[in-house]
Amino acid sequence: MTALRERALVLLDSTPSLPRHVRIQFDPVRQAYAVLSPERVFWPDEISLDILRRCDGRTSVGAMIADLTAEYDAPEDEVAGDIMTFLQEWADRLLVRP
Amino acid sequence: MSEALLPPIGMLAELTHRCPLQCPYCSNPTELMKANRELDTETWLYLFRQAADLGVLQVHLSGGEPTLRRDLEQLIAGLSSHGVYTNLITAGVGIAEGRIEAFAEAGLDHVQLSFQGAHAETTERIGNHRGGHQKKLETARRVRAAGLPLTINAPIHRHNIGEVPDFIELALSLGAERLEIANVQYSGWALVNRDALMPDRDAVERQMEIVGQAQERLRGILNIDFVTPDYFAIYPKPCMGGWARDAFMVAPDGTVLPCHAAHTIRSLTFERFGDRSLAEIWTDSPAFNAFRGTDWMQEPCRGCERREIDWGGCRCQAMAIAGDPAATDPACVKSPVHARMGMLIDDALASARAEKAAGNPPEESFIYRRIAATTQLA
Ligand code: SF4
Ligand code: SF4
């Protein structure tokens, strides 16, 4: 019974998406973007928001890395490491579907 | 107030106290309200709009059994039109055909379904409802079929603590994303039934080990949230994330409270929605301001480095066990009356042994949650 599902790993060619129970939304009261999930509300910083917004089920992790490397004008391997770690953490909490 | 007042993030709406189950650990007050005291559809919708304007992002629709409200679809639609994240907390028995789909259609975001046991016999005995387990399994299936995400909630006590591994299997087999292993909090009916519900120390330790291992093993497969048992703790939990700090609750008649047991603090008076707006109650109500922030604290909380981590723990537990709502939560090892927690565990276990020796089945010592049972309590 236990083997119904498996832990999903984030790879360069994964195209992550947000599951139905996770939603990004602008909060007019606090003038900030909130991530809503079953028990918790997250307040992502700028880079987390940039990653989460690209979780549209079409953009690959590789493309996100290239994109954000250019946007933040930062070393690519650093950006790649940050993005992979972030996405794997969120995937492990079932907040992102790799 | 030592810090600026922030808007609330979450709201627990107890739509009704009616429920087909009679769990002896129910967190509802022992004085249950009848249906004729419930707010009507209009008023709830108006309250929801004010909540959203105030900054509430997440609403937990609870009870009693919220699906007994025939207007639940409408209430969900109202919340969802304001962009509020809606979570339905249900016992999952007796939900009419087609309604779960209607909830989803109305914009419901998530369902939390409680199981009193991992096995039919336990579920039926604890909830005092024949056939309950089978109905819950069916509800879980319908929730998934409607495309809704699912959390299984398992309230843990002496009579099902051994079923923790089976709860994990159950949650997996039902396709849930989350499982809450929630050790019962001794307020409301659970406080009345404390002696009948308290687990023993070995069982608690075994449970922590099992849950810890399962969290490791099921990383990325099933989120297991563990609500620790206060009586066995060293530090208290940040109850409600701090008194009137980022969440509140509304009782079926519109009374607005900082937490579901706050009415047990008799020195406080709580206001009703309708008499005042939600914003006024949130910012001005003396009951909300009584234990907000850290200014109200006494020693040892006042000078403690954890005071903004756990906010001094639970005010209602301080009231129930230390007799002072402004005392340090007795669950905290620094509380001068922390030893009472251990004594209460011992008392409960002694009474359980006595019952067993007398050959009484466990359910005979339960005071089941029901309106008539209130008279047994005084
Ligand atoms: S705890 Fe049990 S009795 Fe109380 S509301 Fe939930 S299902 Fe009903
Ligand atoms: S003394 Fe008060 S603030 Fe410090 S850990 Fe205990 S309950 Fe928390």
Side-chain angles (χ1 to χ4, degrees):
Chain A
M1 263 216 281
T2 323
L4 283 175
R5 285 177 283 169
E6 271 182 34
R7 177 185 181 208
L9 293 177
V10 176
L11 307 167
L12 278 177
D13 61 357
S14 316
T15 51
S17 58
L18 298 183
R20 170 159 178 184
H21 58 274
V22 177
R23 185 158 93 213
I24 306 178
Q25 188 169 301
F26 186 74
D27 171 21
V29 173
R30 298 169 187 81
Q31 291 291 309
Y33 281 92
V35 179
L36 307 181
S37 77
E39 279 300 303
R40 284 189 58 187
V41 177
F42 301 88
W43 301 98
D45 57 16
E46 204 185 332
I47 171 107
S48 311
L49 194 59
D50 277 332
I51 301 170
L52 290 170
R53 277 213 182 113
R54 285 169 172 76
C55 292
D56 54 10
R58 292 185 307 269
T59 312
S60 73
V61 174
M64 286 186 199
I65 294 170
D67 233 24
L68 293 175
T69 301
E71 210 165 291
Y72 284 84
D73 196 16
E76 179 167 333
D77 49 345
E78 225 172 77
V79 174
D82 286 355
I83 293 182
M84 300 290 276
T85 313
F86 175 88
L87 285 173
Q88 189 62 55
E89 254 172 43
W90 280 59
D92 283 346
R93 288 190 279 175
L94 304 174
L95 297 168
V96 160
R97 217 160 256 156
Chain B
M1 287 282 318
S2 39
E3 55 173 322
L5 176 62
L6 296 173
I9 293 178
M11 171 171 109
L12 177 74
E14 281 184 353
L15 299 176
T16 179
H17 278 162
R18 292 171 287 144
C19 186
L21 268 58
Q22 302 182 348
C23 310
Y25 59 75
C26 184
S27 65
N28 284 158
T30 46
E31 288 159 47
L32 294 165
M33 284 177 213
K34 296 200 179 123
N36 60 9
R37 295 196 39 206
E38 294 172 14
L39 298 183
D40 61 14
T41 313
E42 260 352 59
T43 312
W44 275 118
L45 288 174
Y46 187 38
L47 187 153
F48 291 158
R49 200 175 78 210
Q50 286 197 7
D53 289 345
L54 190 56
V56 168
L57 297 171
Q58 209 161 29
V59 169
H60 305 280
L61 297 163
S62 167
E65 174 52 44
T67 61
L68 289 180
R69 290 280 307 211
R70 271 183 245 142
D71 55 0
L72 186 57
E73 291 80 345
Q74 245 177 299
L75 299 181
I76 293 168
L79 284 166
S80 127
S81 75
H82 304 305
V84 174
Y85 192 102
T86 50
N87 176 24
L88 175 66
I89 301 181
T90 178
V93 306
I95 306 179
E97 200 62 46
R99 276 196 96 197
I100 292 173
E101 296 71 15
F103 300 153
E105 196 118 313
L108 184 66
D109 289 296
H110 178 262
V111 176
Q112 177 179 316
L113 172 63
S114 63
F115 273 84
Q116 285 61 35
H119 303 289
E121 187 270 330
T122 317
T123 302
E124 296 184 7
R125 185 157 52 86
I126 305 297
N128 206 17
H129 186 91
R130 193 172 295 224
H133 196 78
Q134 206 48 45
K135 295 179 196 163
K136 286 162 183 281
L137 295 176
E138 180 56 20
T139 298
R141 199 195 53 71
R142 285 162 61 196
V143 166
R144 298 304 287 149
L148 288 165
L150 176 68
T151 289
I152 299 298
N153 165 267
I156 301 296
H157 45 74
R158 183 197 303 150
H159 307 282
N160 66 6
I161 195 166
E163 295 180 21
V164 166
D166 309 336
F167 276 119
I168 296 169
E169 280 303 317
L170 178 70
L172 286 167
S173 73
L174 295 176
E177 278 89 8
R178 263 180 88 242
L179 168 65
E180 273 180 15
I181 298 287
N183 284 266
V184 161
Q185 315 260 15
Y186 294 99
S187 66
W189 291 85
L191 186 58
V192 174
N193 283 296
R194 183 171 56 197
D195 281 355
L197 294 172
M198 186 69 71
D200 65 60
R201 293 182 174 84
D202 287 350
V204 166
E205 224 153 86
R206 226 172 308 129
Q207 165 193 234
M208 307 246 242
E209 224 165 90
I210 290 166
V211 170
Q213 284 166 2
Q215 282 169 330
E216 258 320 292
R217 176 167 56 91
L218 298 172
R219 183 197 309 276
I221 298 170
L222 177 70
N223 282 334
I224 305 178
D225 279 351
F226 186 58
V227 179
T228 54
D230 278 340
Y231 282 60
F232 301 82
I234 298 173
Y235 290 122
K237 288 194 273 290
C239 187
M240 291 296 280
W243 181 274
R245 211 173 141 265
D246 54 27
F248 62 92
M249 71 144 274
V250 183
D253 68 346
T255 306
V256 186
L257 300 143
C259 81
H260 61 245
H263 60 271
T264 60
I265 303 175
R266 301 280 178 191
S267 55
L268 299 178
T269 314
F270 301 100
E271 294 170 288
R272 271 187 60 191
F273 177 74
D275 299 339
R276 293 183 93 191
S277 71
L278 268 191
E280 284 169 330
I281 296 174
W282 178 253
T283 48
D284 280 347
S285 160
F288 275 69
N289 284 322
F291 306 115
R292 218 173 216 149
T294 54
D295 286 353
W296 57 273
M297 287 179 176
Q298 317 169 13
E299 290 299 343
C301 289
R302 179 170 277 275
C304 178
E305 74 284 356
R306 286 179 56 88
R307 66 177 182 266
E308 291 192 4
I309 298 173
D310 61 35
W311 305 96
C314 172
R315 297 304 88 227
C316 309
Q317 195 149 267
M319 179 73 231
I321 294 168
D324 173 7
T328 294
D329 185 336
C332 180
V333 69
K334 296 188 190 176
S335 156
V337 296
H338 179 67
R340 280 189 205 164
M341 299 303 249
M343 278 152 35
L344 289 166
I345 298 173
D346 293 338
D347 285 356
L349 297 179
S351 103
R353 275 193 300 274
E355 293 283 335
K356 198 169 180 188
N360 296 336
E363 59 269 31
E364 257 174 39
S365 52
F366 289 159
I367 297 180
Y368 281 113
R369 170 216 194 268
R370 51 185 167 227
I371 293 185
T374 322
T375 49
Q376 301 172 41
L377 299 177

